Amino acid sequence: MKTEQLNRFAGFGIGLASLFTENVLAHPCIVLRRQCQVNYHARHYHLTPFTVINIMYSFNKTQGPRALWKGMGSTFIVQGVTLGAEGIISEFTPLPRELSHKWSPKQVGEHLLLKALTYVVAMPFYSASLIETVQSEIIRDNAGILECVKEGIGRVIGLGVPHSKRLLPLLALTFPTVLHGVLHYIISSIIQKFVLLLLKRKNTHNHPTESTSPVQSILDAYFPELIANFTASLCSDVMLYPLETVLHRLHIQGTRTIIDNTDLGYEVLPINTQYEGMRDCINTIKQEEGMLGFYKGFGAIIVQYALHAAVLQITKIIYSTLLQSNV
């Protein structure tokens, strides 16, 4: 019974620590990364964690801690809309939410179509959430937590905040949004399965079943999956970073968003891009900012995943100590 309680406690605690890191602790890094990605004026690209930490400190000093935590509620709303949409679409269509072990190419295609439709439904809310996370705290009204929902619906029906003529229609944003979402899902799923397989093989090789201690078996039950998820997220974020930069620039265009100056750490800048679509955006970034222009704010990803790795390691040490003293 004691082992069962420990198991339950371990599973809950480890899951909670991972969720907290992914959604709360990582948020300042996501805010800064997005601000750098959409800042076409920027001379400093913030490709390393050192300049990122420096600029985070400057924003914190000039605008207070809220500058790095803005839009966090809206990111949860986007996750909720995505999960809800996926559940409803799979309920009313034959599209499978999960793939069975004996999957066929047809089943994979239908599953990816479900994901694509989900990203289309979530797209206007993603757009509104993106604006909330990059809009400067200096000129921001204290928007309510449901502002993202209101803005998202307003974007679909053409009401709400007055936008400029440069605003791209949602139809023009559909392809890049779905492409990024589906590729992210495919890459992370493949890497997650592969890492999990490697870790399980390594664990069975290192600890034959009879000699496994209760502590080790609890750690083996939860940590391989967390490490696999961590590796999958990291690889897909890094591989798709240039596409994400393009996607964010297209979403933010014409929304009259004012962002913080990521070169100075104070002052604000307007976003006045005039991209005609995805191809034009890629060519313009290449010509005006060079290939590294696609990686603006990349240092924030390094900080984000270094934090995540540290939390995983600390959690593992704490649980090993707690379980050893209880076993």
Side-chain angles (χ1 to χ4, degrees):
M1 188 64 198
K2 196 177 177 187
T3 317
E4 201 180 296
Q5 278 177 330
L6 276 176
N7 244 322
R8 212 171 290 162
F9 171 63
F12 177 72
I14 292 164
L16 202 65
S18 195
L19 266 176
F20 174 76
T21 314
E22 278 169 42
N23 297 295
V24 180
L25 211 55
H27 195 74
C29 301
I30 292 166
V31 167
L32 195 76
R33 148 179 155 197
R34 288 176 171 185
Q35 281 202 320
C36 292
Q37 283 176 321
V38 299
N39 187 355
Y40 65 99
H41 309 272
R43 294 232 175 97
H44 296 296
Y45 286 15
H46 299 298
L47 302 171
T48 68
F50 311 108
T51 60
V52 163
I53 291 165
N54 193 20
I55 209 78
M56 275 181 172
Y57 173 73
S58 300
F59 284 152
N60 197 46
K61 204 169 137 189
T62 53
Q63 298 175 41
R66 283 184 59 179
L68 295 170
W69 299 94
K70 57 194 174 193
M72 191 162 79
S74 68
T75 57
F76 286 120
I77 286 171
V78 172
Q79 284 181 26
V81 168
T82 308
L83 285 171
E86 191 176 320
I88 293 164
I89 295 167
S90 68
E91 200 65 45
F92 291 100
T93 62
L95 303 175
R97 202 169 178 182
E98 300 287 336
L99 285 176
S100 61
H101 288 299
K102 294 177 180 174
W103 51 266
S104 64
K106 180 177 176 280
Q107 203 182 19
V108 173
E110 287 175 343
H111 179 61
L112 292 178
L113 177 61
L114 171 68
K115 291 286 176 192
L117 291 172
T118 304
Y119 297 130
V120 172
V121 173
M123 180 171 61
F125 305 102
Y126 180 81
S127 214
S129 170
L130 174 68
I131 294 165
E132 273 191 39
T133 51
V134 300
Q135 180 92 279
S136 176
E137 194 62 32
I138 296 169
I139 56 106
R140 231 166 96 95
D141 311 323
N142 276 336
I145 195 154
L146 292 175
E147 191 68 21
C148 163
V149 178
K150 195 178 106 187
E151 287 288 325
I153 295 167
R155 182 91 186 250
V156 175
I157 58 176
L159 293 172
V161 178
H163 297 302
S164 77
K165 288 189 175 74
R166 294 187 309 276
L167 183 79
L168 290 164
L170 285 173
L171 209 60
L173 297 171
T174 304
F175 176 70
T177 305
V178 169
L179 179 70
H180 178 268
V182 170
L183 281 178
H184 198 282
Y185 177 71
I186 292 169
I187 293 167
S188 56
S189 300
I190 291 168
I191 291 171
Q192 198 238 15
K193 298 270 187 297
F194 179 68
V195 173
L196 210 51
L197 199 74
L198 279 182
L199 290 171
K200 284 192 171 158
R201 193 169 287 178
K202 187 179 158 214
N203 282 345
T204 48
H205 183 72
N206 287 356
H207 322 283
T209 328
E210 301 80 51
S211 63
T212 309
S213 69
V215 175
Q216 193 57 50
S217 64
I218 289 173
L219 291 179
D220 286 351
Y222 297 106
F223 273 94
E225 200 150 322
L226 287 180
I227 292 163
N229 289 343
F230 169 81
T231 314
S233 297
L234 172 62
C235 294
S236 42
D237 275 357
V238 168
M239 286 164 83
L240 295 175
Y241 199 88
L243 179 59
E244 189 185 67
T245 300
V246 172
L247 178 68
H248 287 167
R249 298 236 183 148
L250 294 173
H251 269 281
I252 216 88
Q253 179 169 299
T255 56
R256 299 194 169 165
T257 302
I258 306 283
I259 62 162
D260 293 308
N261 187 329
T262 54
D263 283 347
L264 303 173
Y266 54 90
E267 288 183 5
V268 291
L269 299 163
I271 296 288
N272 294 320
T273 51
Q274 299 194 3
Y275 307 124
E276 283 164 26
M278 188 177 168
R279 189 179 294 176
D280 182 42
C281 181
I282 292 168
N283 292 335
T284 309
I285 294 173
K286 213 186 286 181
Q287 280 165 15
E288 293 179 5
E289 299 162 64
M291 289 307 283
L292 287 176
F294 292 102
Y295 288 93
K296 279 183 172 177
F298 190 78
I301 269 204
I302 302 170
V303 175
Q304 181 185 334
Y305 283 99
L307 268 175
H308 197 160
V311 170
L312 279 179
Q313 199 53 44
I314 291 163
T315 316
K316 191 171 184 177
I317 293 164
I318 291 168
Y319 273 99
S320 299
T321 317
L322 279 175
L323 294 167
Q324 247 145 9
S325 59
N326 276 296
V327 169

